[in-house]
Amino acid sequence: VASFFFIGLMSMMIPLCHVFGGLIAVCLFMGLFDGCFICIMAPIAFELVGAQDVSQAIGFLLGFMSIPMTVGPPIAGLLRDHLGTYDVAFYLAGVPPLIGGAILCVIPWIHERQKLKER
């Protein structure tokens, strides 16, 4: 959850980097958190669907991840054409991981409440 949240935060920090060293630092942290996210994806899929369907679940996850990666750059180009800067595209690219990270933080609390209700 933390890595997903920080991926969004690092995406939003790219336009704020006015020095090349700052951009390198942001990209290093973004790469680190993206690597953590990708590494934890398989165990989470295994836990959710079981050993028999884990390969199909990972395939679906990667397939769904390919949609925004394919559609995002042309949309960023359109935003740049209309606004004259890529800053808005980077800010908008950071919003979904931030929202997803916030939602994922709430899930354990909801899960515990459901367990208490069952008891």
Side-chain angles (χ1 to χ4, degrees):
V1 173
S3 64
F4 200 51
F5 183 80
F6 279 108
I7 288 170
L9 187 65
M10 292 296 124
S11 294
M12 295 177 92
M13 288 181 66
I14 289 174
L16 303 176
C17 297
H18 300 289
V19 179
F20 185 67
L23 182 63
I24 289 174
V26 167
C27 289
L28 283 172
F29 281 113
M30 189 170 180
L32 174 74
F33 292 119
D34 187 49
C36 293
F37 173 71
I38 295 298
C39 288
I40 201 72
M41 195 169 53
I44 290 173
F46 181 83
E47 186 176 323
L48 289 174
V49 299
Q52 190 170 358
D53 296 327
V54 73
S55 61
Q56 187 174 5
I58 292 172
F60 278 126
L61 284 170
L62 293 174
F64 282 128
M65 286 172 56
S66 71
I67 295 168
M69 294 179 123
T70 303
V71 176
I75 292 174
L78 286 173
L79 287 172
R80 198 262 183 222
D81 288 345
H82 289 293
L83 302 174
T85 182
Y86 282 107
D87 291 356
V88 175
F90 283 109
Y91 294 138
L92 290 175
V95 171
L98 287 175
I99 293 172
I103 291 171
L104 288 172
C105 284
V106 178
I107 289 175
W109 177 71
I110 293 171
H111 195 298
E112 283 298 317
R113 286 191 60 175
Q114 288 178 346
K115 280 185 179 180
L116 290 174
K117 285 182 181 180
E118 288 175 2
R119 290 180 190 170

